[in-house]
Amino acid sequence: MAPTPHPFDPLTPEEIRKAASVVRPQFPGHEPNFRVITLKEPLKKHMIPFLDSQHAGAASAASPRPPREARVQVVIGGTDDDGGANQLFELIVDLTGDGSVVKKDYLKGRHSYIDSAYMQAVEAACMADPRIKAEIETLDLPPGATVIVEPWAYATDGMIDVSQRTSMCWFYLRLLDNPDANYYAYPLDLCAEVSESLQVTKIYRLPSAEHERIHNNRRPFDRRRTQDVSASEYHPDLRPPPRQTTKPYQVVQPEGPSFTTDGNALSWEKWTLHVGFNYREGLTLHDVRYDGRSLFYRLSLAEMFVPYGDPRAPYPRKGAFDLGNDGAGINANNLQLGCDCLGTIKYFDGWHNTSRGEPMRLPNVVCCHEQDDGILWKHTNFRTGNAVVTRSRILVLQTIITVSNYEYIFAFHLGQDASIHYEVRATGILSTVPINIDDKAPPYGTIVAPGVLAPYHQHLFCLRIDPAIDGHANSLQVEESEALPVDDPEVHNPFAMGYVTKSRFIDQETGLDLDFNKSRVFKMVNEGVKNPVTGTPVGFKLLPAYSQLLLAHPSSWHAKRSEFGQHALWVTRYDDEETFPSGRHTMQSLGGEGIASGMAARRQCGAAPSVRNEDLVVWHTFGSTHNPRIEDWPVMPAEKMLVGLKPVNFFTGNPGLDVAVSTQESNKSVLVDDSSGKGDGICCQAKI
Amino acid sequence: MAPTPHPFDPLTPEEIRKAASVVRPQFPGHEPNFRVITLKEPLKKHMIPFLDSQHAGAASAASPRPPREARVQVVIGGTDDDGGANQLFELIVDLTGDGSVVKKDYLKGRHSYIDSAYMQAVEAACMADPRIKAEIETLDLPPGATVIVEPWAYATDGMIDVSQRTSMCWFYLRLLDNPDANYYAYPLDLCAEVSESLQVTKIYRLPSAEHERIHNNRRPFDRRRTQDVSASEYHPDLRPPPRQTTKPYQVVQPEGPSFTTDGNALSWEKWTLHVGFNYREGLTLHDVRYDGRSLFYRLSLAEMFVPYGDPRAPYPRKGAFDLGNDGAGINANNLQLGCDCLGTIKYFDGWHNTSRGEPMRLPNVVCCHEQDDGILWKHTNFRTGNAVVTRSRILVLQTIITVSNYEYIFAFHLGQDASIHYEVRATGILSTVPINIDDKAPPYGTIVAPGVLAPYHQHLFCLRIDPAIDGHANSLQVEESEALPVDDPEVHNPFAMGYVTKSRFIDQETGLDLDFNKSRVFKMVNEGVKNPVTGTPVGFKLLPAYSQLLLAHPSSWHAKRSEFGQHALWVTRYDDEETFPSGRHTMQSLGGEGIASGMAARRQCGAAPSVRNEDLVVWHTFGSTHNPRIEDWPVMPAEKMLVGLKPVNFFTGNPGLDVAVSTQESNKSVLVDDSSGKGDGICCQAKI
């Protein structure tokens, strides 16, 4: 008999099958298209006593284990009678025993995330359409080249009824006869819209100059675009041989790694946590504790939004919710050994489902390994010359997603200083649109190759931080460093250089912003637990990533649909159902369902919920205004964004003080051969 | 015969001796105290043709090699006749032939950097003074404890004549009988001032409560402070045994490193540069080129300032210019193998001089090694499933300084994406002052142990960036990303989401600030060299560290003396003598000699110098407002600050595109033993 899943464990294959078997009878006469069969995480009010008892040990094992539940989304295909509209249903299935449906909602007019099988059908519909074929003929394409269609979800722009899906079909040319040739290097000016029922409803030509608009002038493909082909290829088979100068670099852990796992439970250097994974957020961390003390109930990327800044129709329809629309779990790469991760690696698999409700393994979607991060702490007593130095070992939990052209690398880093960092790297290929070779770039894009424009865009991420700092009643404290006044007789500052910190607590749900000029620091604290040394509430502070917020105007669809881009920080009262800052159903959404709207609605119903000594959630919006440079072409070197969480008066001293000193014996560093004969190999431990 | 030094090479031991031998006869009857014998870097107007000819190859070897010169600072001891004042002289010595003095300046009233031998004499003077001994008696210290005196340079506060040195003597207690016991854990309330001539001129007691001022109440040492001794010790001999959970982690480069050196010339992965080192700035990088193209003439930390924010006298006298006053070269640690650096290491030595003018080796002050930095770029073609991934190898050039209680780790990172990063880590021990055990912390400090207050302070760094982007005529361009207007009939923005970049050039020397809300980007460009693909000037952009600037009021001595903390960015016209943003002589300086004053003076003499298509220098001020937390005690886990420089339309594509793909064969990663039997070892190269 399989071991009992931990309440935070993703659904097992057996549970996925069971959920599907319970749901199918709900739709007699239909073959449901199972879009999602995922864990419905237990209510926090049930998890808390369970976790407390688990951590307290066997004696308190009596606390009930929350039941396993599945959240299932199915699409029931429309019939000709009812106009052909698909219907989206969401069901909650209790997996106890044989399983039973405990909730069933018809989500009228809403859409599930992108159905890749459907998108393939959209591609096929485009290529089969005789009008499209005729348009392609007029392009007079180079021989041997293949037309590629890449449908995107339609980002609401107010021009199309959203109750049915519309796909925007972008056309590219795979110039070289190799399936991995970079077709993004040859965007065609052809564009098509495809309806829910796979009809090509519109065909037109894209604007290819700053003052051009959608048109129907059938211009042929400009052959001058194919002069420097290899410059636009990234695949090694299509490029000159790589450099030979980089010598191998290997990481060896002769005694194995310092982490242990028991299923999805992970332990490493005083850290314990539960690794989660779901179709939408990808990697999630649960019940994060240090030395047994509770830090975070849950950490995850909750949404991301990539709006393009090119104002010419139809480009306002490019605004990708890569979690809500695509799924960071579904699109997670298989991190094959030796390529994506380095050293001594453990992989975690994920589980998803087929459209028929069968479990589908997503292998190696999370890699877990250690990494050396330089020096953790050092001090040399100058009086004795004795140096004490420790190295910083970090644990990396990483996942990578591919969403069409782009890749995003998401990694949590745990430190021996009890810090957590969240690093995002953007890489992959820029999204491209055509531009006439003889025209200059409009002011919202960069020409990256002849005839190829890479439009400006933003990458905005929302990290959802559910603190449980020594318990679930937390507060958000904002601290700033402020110069003391100079001419105030009440204030002692005779040398005009004193400064103090000023702090305030946030009482109600709100949006907040960053201000490095004031050294504004956000701390998640437990006012009920005072640090025995400093006397202040124990807490963790945020090290934010300073980023420009959403540029799209508040009246725009981009702004109305995303919402989380209005502020760098949000604080809300915990709610089991408030998990996605742009709402649960982002596909062709109309807005009004995100974090700001939720907050506003709660205010209207009475006072905004208190977040003072309450179960609160902090959401950090960060990202990058990406105005492409040529160095981002044809594939961009990773651009990093980094967020941190560090203890502030949580412990009674440096949590890494007991890390063993760095020694030659342990590190086995090697001196580069040096004819001067230096390097006597004495390591600092010899002096202790 | 020794090889001819490169013009950027630090002085050789022979040159140091020669310089001293040329200087001694300048002071007949005196034994000069040689404070500095260092390279006077050649004038840029002489270096440029030399470097150009070197890089062009042997055929152009005719360009004259700039002469080697030494900058020598000596202190000539005063005699009783002239009041005993030391005299500081600075001489420039031409090292050609037997050497000759080409300049000699008497720097009346100025001081050289801290003389550690003199500071030891200050300590001895304190401890020998009968009044100090009597004060110590009144402290009634625990038996077996040792009083430690730690003199600091007096940071000008307007109360003492600065023409002679004053040392501020802080007293601590080494409680345990071990020379590495952490005496900073027991600050005593005794304070003394010592004059130039080693007289103890003042003795008083430090304020030990918020509203207390300097006083003479002889309170005994509070024995309650010694209850939890090991919590304040960092040395492993004085602490419980370290954790045993961290498994070894080794870096192996079986074919050696990818870098080569020829003396101080360093080559790595298309990068070439010259490694410099001097007593004051420590590690300096010169003539930084990528693929033979000039990027930066010089990069260095040019100053740092650590002002404390405690307004109670005498604490306004704590404001450390750790470069100008102490010297990042002189105080650089010996980075012994295996402890500070990891992997395959090359060390560079530095050379300094003794007070007698003899060369003194500073061994292993810079370490050079590679490091894996995760993924450089990746793309998976979702249509084929073929992934192409390359790993990011970086080159690290690192140095570490100890300045009394604190350590700073300075590292340049070169990337295969042609980026340079500069990372500062602050570690070591907080500066402490006494506080009555029964009093609460004043609003400008944190209690880190009973009776121990760690006052608030700032760490401000100034990175001096001398660009030579494809040549020496550069400009500074400021770009911001701005939403297009919504209701302007002249502007096409029908969906209210368009945005553009707006750029302007900086015409004259000035100070500038950061604004992430506008995604303000500073680019150093060459307007005379256009990128062939984008049509825009080639350049490098700054990735700044967003930091609070100097909190001390502009009227304060801290502000007047430092200057560089007024703005996050400065741009000046290159001047061979403008190298230190708080002036050349920071010891007991009075201000008015820094970057802002220099700029103001030049404006007054006519129009401010142009920095448009000129040889310009960019200075970036960044740092950390450090309000200590208990986790920083007794030794702080490294706090990181990071600055970057990245190409922007400098190349014609991703400069790391030709890095070889990541393979299992090269990386030799290992799968953690897993009973599920997963891990078939297939690596992505197999799919190509």
Side-chain angles (χ1 to χ4, degrees):
Chain A
M1 207 164 104
T4 315
H6 184 282
F8 285 140
D9 278 350
L11 295 183
T12 66
E14 297 71 33
E15 290 174 322
I16 290 170
R17 280 195 196 94
K18 182 190 288 190
S21 69
V22 167
V23 163
R24 280 191 204 92
Q26 296 281 328
F27 303 96
H30 291 269
E31 182 101 29
N33 176 357
F34 287 90
R35 309 271 30 254
V36 172
I37 303 177
T38 194
L39 175 71
K40 180 183 182 294
E41 290 177 23
L43 301 181
K44 189 185 270 197
K45 67 184 181 189
H46 295 151
M47 277 309 292
I48 290 174
F50 174 78
L51 292 173
D52 288 346
S53 77
Q54 287 272 300
H55 286 286
S60 321
S63 197
R65 178 176 288 260
R68 296 280 282 173
E69 289 186 311
R71 182 189 306 274
V72 182
Q73 283 185 14
V74 296
V75 170
I76 303 298
T79 65
D80 291 335
D81 297 333
D82 58 20
N86 287 333
Q87 297 181 329
L88 177 65
F89 289 83
E90 182 168 283
L91 302 92
I92 306 299
V93 175
D94 184 326
L95 295 165
T96 315
D98 293 331
S100 55
V101 172
V102 298
K103 197 166 193 283
K104 178 178 176 184
D105 290 316
Y106 168 43
L107 303 175
K108 185 176 169 62
R110 308 316 302 264
H111 304 286
S112 184
Y113 66 92
I114 284 173
D115 184 334
S116 55
Y118 174 78
M119 287 308 219
Q120 285 172 35
V122 168
E123 289 187 34
C126 272
M127 296 308 290
D129 187 291
R131 294 163 297 162
I132 297 276
K133 289 182 184 180
E135 293 291 340
I136 289 172
E137 284 294 310
T138 71
L139 290 170
D140 187 27
L141 296 167
T146 313
V147 173
I148 303 290
V149 180
E150 195 134 297
W152 276 35
Y154 158 67
T156 313
D157 67 349
M159 317 246 322
I160 302 177
D161 166 29
V162 293
S163 64
Q164 299 208 41
R165 286 174 297 184
T166 298
S167 300
M168 293 296 300
C169 293
W170 313 106
F171 286 75
Y172 303 88
L173 194 68
R174 182 190 289 145
L175 188 70
L176 304 178
D177 183 19
N178 180 305
D180 289 308
N182 181 18
Y183 52 86
Y184 300 109
Y186 305 98
L188 304 174
D189 69 345
L190 185 61
C191 186
E193 295 174 23
V194 175
S195 71
E196 175 72 60
S197 54
L198 300 175
Q199 304 301 311
V200 177
T201 52
K202 282 208 169 88
I203 302 172
Y204 44 78
R205 297 306 177 107
L206 296 168
S208 295
E210 181 179 352
H211 300 291
E212 198 169 62
R213 306 290 170 243
I214 286 174
H215 64 95
N216 281 300
N217 302 321
R218 293 175 176 78
R219 292 191 288 247
F221 178 83
D222 191 328
R223 300 294 179 102
R224 290 177 295 171
R225 295 173 64 178
T226 63
Q227 276 169 1
D228 188 6
V229 170
S230 77
S232 290
E233 296 297 336
Y234 70 91
H235 196 285
D237 289 357
L238 301 169
R239 291 198 50 75
R243 65 176 74 178
Q244 299 298 317
T245 52
T246 324
K247 301 285 199 294
Y249 181 107
Q250 294 151 9
V251 167
V252 177
Q253 292 201 275
E255 297 179 29
S258 318
F259 59 84
T260 57
T261 56
D262 178 9
N264 278 34
L266 175 63
S267 296
W268 177 79
E269 295 289 286
K270 307 193 182 184
W271 290 92
T272 58
L273 58 95
H274 210 86
V275 176
F277 194 87
N278 67 64
Y279 78 101
R280 180 178 183 143
E281 295 164 290
L283 172 61
T284 57
L285 305 191
H286 304 260
D287 191 31
V288 180
R289 297 180 185 234
Y290 190 96
D291 232 0
R293 289 172 71 187
S294 170
L295 302 187
F296 297 95
Y297 182 76
R298 195 178 190 280
L299 294 170
S300 72
L301 183 69
E303 192 54 89
M304 59 180 284
F305 185 47
V306 185
Y308 283 75
D310 188 330
R312 303 168 298 169
Y315 300 131
R317 294 178 179 183
K318 290 176 68 173
F321 288 96
D322 287 325
L323 264 59
N325 282 7
D326 295 81
I330 290 165
N331 289 286
N333 294 172
N334 179 341
L335 305 171
Q336 290 156 323
L337 193 67
C339 303
D340 290 288
C341 313
L342 180 71
T344 304
I345 318 288
K346 168 172 173 68
Y347 291 110
F348 291 87
D349 292 346
W351 284 95
H352 186 50
N353 57 278
T354 67
S355 60
R356 300 178 66 86
E358 290 297 312
M360 183 170 86
R361 184 192 293 269
L362 304 175
N364 308 324
V365 286
V366 175
C367 73
C368 175
H369 63 92
E370 291 182 282
Q371 215 166 270
D372 179 272
D373 190 46
I375 288 170
L376 177 64
W377 57 262
K378 180 179 188 181
H379 185 63
T380 295
N381 180 348
F382 72 88
R383 296 167 189 276
T384 61
N386 287 337
V388 182
V389 56
T390 60
R391 298 197 68 81
S392 174
R393 185 72 59 79
I394 63 175
L395 185 76
V396 179
L397 284 157
Q398 175 172 289
T399 180
I400 303 178
I401 68 171
T402 300
V403 275
S404 293
N405 48 296
Y406 258 136
E407 262 74 13
Y408 297 94
I409 304 171
F410 302 116
F412 286 97
H413 295 175
L414 307 182
Q416 290 168 315
D417 58 353
S419 69
I420 299 174
H421 284 80
Y422 184 67
E423 185 196 76
V424 178
R425 295 191 190 192
T427 181
I429 302 179
L430 296 168
S431 182
T432 56
V433 300
I435 181 160
N436 296 329
I437 277 193
D438 302 313
D439 279 314
K440 68 176 185 62
Y444 28 74
T446 305
I447 291 172
V448 293
V452 185
L453 184 75
Y456 292 175
H457 54 283
Q458 294 187 284
H459 304 272
L460 290 165
F461 303 90
C462 184
L463 182 68
R464 181 175 179 277
I465 304 164
D466 185 351
I469 311 292
D470 261 350
H472 296 276
N474 292 163
S475 302
L476 183 68
Q477 189 176 27
V478 184
E479 177 192 274
E480 295 174 355
S481 294
E482 203 171 284
L484 286 175
V486 172
D487 295 318
D488 185 340
E490 303 289 306
V491 175
H492 183 70
N493 189 23
F495 295 92
M497 39 53 77
Y499 82 85
V500 295
T501 44
K502 294 278 168 78
S503 291
R504 61 186 175 103
F505 286 99
I506 303 300
D507 290 313
Q508 295 181 330
E509 298 190 327
T510 189
L512 296 152
D513 290 299
L514 305 177
D515 194 338
F516 65 93
N517 285 313
K518 299 180 178 175
S519 194
R520 181 177 295 164
V521 176
F522 296 93
K523 304 181 188 180
M524 290 156 277
V525 302
N526 188 326
E527 295 186 63
V529 180
K530 296 289 198 296
N531 186 288
V533 182
T534 66
T536 52
V538 299
F540 262 69
K541 65 178 175 179
L542 179 73
L543 306 179
Y546 291 96
S547 325
Q548 184 171 39
L549 297 177
L550 184 70
L551 278 159
H553 194 266
S555 66
S556 69
W557 286 101
H558 285 340
K560 291 190 292 188
R561 297 173 67 218
S562 55
E563 292 198 3
F564 69 90
Q566 294 171 24
H567 290 292
L569 221 85
W570 303 83
V571 58
T572 59
R573 178 79 157 273
Y574 178 86
D575 182 315
D576 290 291
E577 292 298 308
E578 279 270 317
T579 48
F580 305 123
S582 302
R584 184 168 288 285
H585 306 289
T586 55
M587 276 283 279
Q588 296 186 182
S589 59
L590 294 170
E593 298 173 313
I595 191 166
S597 296
M599 213 176 267
R602 290 187 288 276
R603 255 181 229 265
Q604 280 183 339
C605 294
S610 166
V611 291
R612 186 80 192 266
N613 295 308
E614 296 284 356
D615 188 352
L616 56 84
V617 177
V618 172
W619 316 67
H620 176 34
T621 298
F622 67 96
S624 158
T625 294
H626 189 186
N627 306 329
R629 42 173 201 151
I630 189 61
E631 287 83 5
D632 293 335
W633 184 257
V635 57
M636 70 182 270
E639 177 181 349
K640 296 185 195 176
M641 288 149 275
L642 185 67
V643 177
L645 292 159
K646 273 193 177 181
V648 58
N649 302 327
F650 184 81
F651 299 100
T652 52
N654 175 351
L657 190 58
D658 68 329
V659 171
V661 296
S662 176
T663 66
Q664 172 61 21
E665 181 186 357
S666 174
N667 298 350
K668 293 199 172 5
S669 290
V670 169
L671 191 65
V672 166
D673 208 7
D674 187 341
S675 59
S676 76
K678 293 193 296 78
D680 51 7
I682 294 178
C683 124
C684 46
Q685 190 177 41
K687 301 192 84 170
I688 291 174
Chain B
M1 205 164 107
T4 314
H6 184 282
F8 286 141
D9 277 350
L11 293 183
T12 65
E14 297 70 33
E15 289 174 324
I16 290 170
R17 279 196 196 92
K18 182 190 286 189
S21 70
V22 167
V23 164
R24 281 191 204 92
Q26 295 280 328
F27 304 96
H30 290 270
E31 183 103 27
N33 175 357
F34 286 91
R35 310 271 30 255
V36 173
I37 304 175
T38 194
L39 175 72
K40 179 184 183 299
E41 290 176 24
L43 301 181
K44 189 186 271 197
K45 67 184 181 189
H46 296 150
M47 277 309 292
I48 290 175
F50 173 79
L51 292 173
D52 289 346
S53 76
Q54 287 272 300
H55 287 284
S60 321
S63 197
R65 180 177 285 261
R68 296 281 281 172
E69 289 186 313
R71 183 190 305 274
V72 182
Q73 282 185 13
V74 297
V75 169
I76 302 300
T79 65
D80 290 336
D81 295 335
D82 57 21
N86 287 333
Q87 296 181 327
L88 176 67
F89 288 84
E90 182 169 283
L91 302 92
I92 305 298
V93 174
D94 184 327
L95 294 166
T96 315
D98 294 331
S100 56
V101 172
V102 298
K103 197 166 191 286
K104 178 178 176 183
D105 291 317
Y106 167 44
L107 303 175
K108 186 174 167 62
R110 307 315 302 262
H111 304 285
S112 183
Y113 65 93
I114 284 173
D115 185 335
S116 53
Y118 174 78
M119 287 308 218
Q120 284 171 36
V122 169
E123 289 188 34
C126 271
M127 296 309 290
D129 186 292
R131 295 164 297 161
I132 297 277
K133 289 182 184 180
E135 293 291 341
I136 288 171
E137 284 293 307
T138 71
L139 290 171
D140 186 29
L141 297 168
T146 313
V147 173
I148 303 290
V149 180
E150 194 133 298
W152 275 34
Y154 157 69
T156 314
D157 67 347
M159 316 245 324
I160 303 177
D161 166 27
V162 293
S163 64
Q164 298 206 43
R165 287 174 295 183
T166 298
S167 302
M168 294 296 300
C169 293
W170 314 106
F171 287 75
Y172 304 87
L173 194 68
R174 183 191 287 145
L175 188 69
L176 305 178
D177 183 21
N178 181 305
D180 288 308
N182 181 18
Y183 53 85
Y184 299 111
Y186 304 100
L188 303 175
D189 69 345
L190 184 61
C191 187
E193 295 175 23
V194 175
S195 71
E196 175 73 57
S197 54
L198 299 177
Q199 303 301 308
V200 176
T201 52
K202 285 207 167 88
I203 301 171
Y204 44 80
R205 297 302 177 106
L206 297 168
S208 296
E210 180 180 352
H211 300 292
E212 197 169 63
R213 305 289 170 244
I214 285 173
H215 63 96
N216 281 300
N217 303 323
R218 294 174 176 80
R219 292 192 289 247
F221 179 83
D222 190 328
R223 301 293 179 100
R224 291 176 295 170
R225 294 173 64 176
T226 63
Q227 278 170 0
D228 188 7
V229 169
S230 77
S232 290
E233 296 297 335
Y234 70 91
H235 196 286
D237 289 357
L238 302 169
R239 293 197 48 75
R243 65 175 75 176
Q244 300 297 319
T245 51
T246 323
K247 301 286 197 296
Y249 181 106
Q250 296 152 7
V251 168
V252 176
Q253 292 201 272
E255 296 180 28
S258 318
F259 59 84
T260 58
T261 56
D262 178 8
N264 277 36
L266 176 63
S267 295
W268 177 79
E269 295 290 285
K270 305 193 183 185
W271 290 93
T272 59
L273 59 95
H274 211 85
V275 176
F277 193 86
N278 67 64
Y279 79 101
R280 181 177 183 145
E281 296 166 287
L283 172 62
T284 57
L285 305 190
H286 304 259
D287 192 31
V288 182
R289 297 183 185 232
Y290 189 95
D291 232 1
R293 289 172 70 188
S294 170
L295 303 188
F296 298 94
Y297 181 76
R298 195 178 191 281
L299 294 169
S300 71
L301 182 70
E303 192 54 88
M304 57 180 286
F305 185 47
V306 185
Y308 283 75
D310 188 331
R312 303 168 298 169
Y315 300 131
R317 295 179 178 183
K318 291 176 70 175
F321 288 96
D322 287 326
L323 264 58
N325 283 6
D326 295 81
I330 291 166
N331 289 288
N333 294 173
N334 179 341
L335 306 171
Q336 291 155 323
L337 193 65
C339 302
D340 291 288
C341 313
L342 179 72
T344 304
I345 317 289
K346 172 178 171 61
Y347 292 110
F348 290 88
D349 292 346
W351 284 95
H352 186 52
N353 56 278
T354 67
S355 59
R356 299 178 67 87
E358 291 295 313
M360 185 171 83
R361 184 192 293 269
L362 305 174
N364 308 324
V365 286
V366 174
C367 74
C368 174
H369 62 91
E370 292 183 279
Q371 218 168 268
D372 179 272
D373 189 47
I375 287 171
L376 178 63
W377 55 263
K378 180 178 187 182
H379 185 62
T380 296
N381 180 347
F382 72 88
R383 295 167 189 277
T384 60
N386 288 337
V388 182
V389 54
T390 60
R391 299 198 68 79
S392 174
R393 185 73 59 78
I394 62 175
L395 185 75
V396 179
L397 284 157
Q398 173 172 290
T399 181
I400 303 178
I401 68 170
T402 300
V403 275
S404 292
N405 48 294
Y406 257 135
E407 261 77 11
Y408 297 95
I409 305 172
F410 302 116
F412 286 98
H413 295 175
L414 306 182
Q416 290 168 317
D417 57 354
S419 68
I420 299 173
H421 284 79
Y422 184 67
E423 184 196 76
V424 178
R425 295 192 191 193
T427 182
I429 301 178
L430 295 168
S431 182
T432 56
V433 300
I435 181 161
N436 297 329
I437 278 191
D438 302 312
D439 278 314
K440 68 178 185 63
Y444 28 75
T446 305
I447 291 172
V448 293
V452 186
L453 183 75
Y456 291 176
H457 55 283
Q458 294 187 283
H459 304 270
L460 289 165
F461 303 90
C462 184
L463 182 68
R464 182 174 179 277
I465 304 164
D466 185 349
I469 310 293
D470 261 350
H472 296 276
N474 292 163
S475 302
L476 183 67
Q477 189 176 27
V478 184
E479 178 192 272
E480 296 174 355
S481 295
E482 202 170 286
L484 286 174
V486 173
D487 295 317
D488 185 339
E490 303 288 308
V491 175
H492 183 69
N493 189 22
F495 295 94
M497 39 53 77
Y499 82 85
V500 295
T501 45
K502 294 278 169 78
S503 292
R504 61 187 174 102
F505 285 98
I506 303 300
D507 290 313
Q508 295 181 331
E509 298 191 325
T510 188
L512 297 153
D513 291 299
L514 306 177
D515 194 339
F516 64 91
N517 286 310
K518 298 180 179 175
S519 193
R520 182 176 294 163
V521 175
F522 295 93
K523 304 182 188 181
M524 289 155 278
V525 302
N526 188 324
E527 295 186 63
V529 181
K530 298 289 200 292
N531 185 289
V533 182
T534 66
T536 52
V538 299
F540 263 69
K541 65 177 175 179
L542 179 72
L543 306 180
Y546 292 95
S547 325
Q548 183 171 40
L549 297 177
L550 184 70
L551 278 160
H553 194 266
S555 65
S556 69
W557 286 101
H558 285 338
K560 291 189 292 189
R561 298 174 67 216
S562 56
E563 293 200 2
F564 68 90
Q566 295 172 24
H567 290 292
L569 221 84
W570 303 83
V571 58
T572 59
R573 178 80 157 272
Y574 178 85
D575 183 317
D576 289 291
E577 293 298 310
E578 279 270 317
T579 47
F580 304 123
S582 301
R584 184 167 286 286
H585 306 289
T586 54
M587 275 282 280
Q588 297 187 181
S589 59
L590 294 170
E593 297 172 316
I595 191 166
S597 296
M599 212 177 268
R602 290 187 290 277
R603 254 180 229 266
Q604 281 184 338
C605 295
S610 166
V611 291
R612 184 79 191 266
N613 295 308
E614 296 284 355
D615 189 352
L616 55 84
V617 178
V618 172
W619 316 66
H620 176 36
T621 298
F622 66 97
S624 157
T625 295
H626 189 185
N627 306 329
R629 41 170 204 151
I630 188 61
E631 286 82 8
D632 293 335
W633 185 257
V635 58
M636 71 183 268
E639 178 183 348
K640 296 185 195 175
M641 289 150 273
L642 185 68
V643 177
L645 292 160
K646 273 195 178 180
V648 57
N649 302 327
F650 184 82
F651 299 100
T652 53
N654 175 352
L657 190 57
D658 67 330
V659 170
V661 296
S662 175
T663 66
Q664 172 62 21
E665 180 186 1
S666 174
N667 299 350
K668 293 197 173 4
S669 291
V670 169
L671 190 65
V672 167
D673 206 9
D674 186 340
S675 61
S676 76
K678 294 194 297 79
D680 52 6
I682 293 176
C683 123
C684 45
Q685 189 175 41
K687 302 192 85 171
I688 291 174

